[in-house]
Amino acid sequence: MRAAHQRVYSAVAPWTVGRSLNFVYGRRSDQELTDQVYDKATLRRLAELKRTYDPGNLFRRNQNIRPLM
């Protein structure tokens, strides 16, 4: 089943918006996932928000965006 999912993902990848980490497949690190999904400006803004609302990075058990230091 995993190979079938990968074929579908590969086939539609050129047309995806790529803004939902819940739908990114593959074995990559959290940082690689966030770098793939978000452009640099958006990732920086999310890191700024994380610094404001979660500076201790309590909510990190997902595809983590590290707080901006």
Side-chain angles (χ1 to χ4, degrees):
M1 193 64 141
R2 182 174 232 156
H5 288 147
Q6 185 59 45
R7 284 193 302 274
V8 170
Y9 176 74
S10 296
V12 299
W15 297 282
T16 60
V17 176
R19 294 285 184 211
S20 178
L21 285 171
N22 293 328
F23 296 101
V24 176
Y25 300 103
R27 294 178 184 222
R28 294 179 289 271
S29 70
D30 289 344
Q31 194 59 53
E32 289 172 320
L33 286 172
T34 55
D35 289 348
Q36 176 187 350
V37 172
Y38 300 112
D39 59 70
K40 288 186 185 288
T42 301
L43 191 56
R44 181 172 177 79
R45 178 66 181 135
L46 290 170
E48 289 171 355
L49 288 168
K50 185 90 177 226
R51 177 179 57 192
T52 301
Y53 295 104
D54 185 19
N57 204 20
L58 177 66
F59 299 104
R60 64 184 175 275
R61 296 277 189 185
N62 55 7
Q63 295 89 356
N64 190 35
I65 295 173
R66 293 182 189 98
L68 193 63
M69 299 295 174

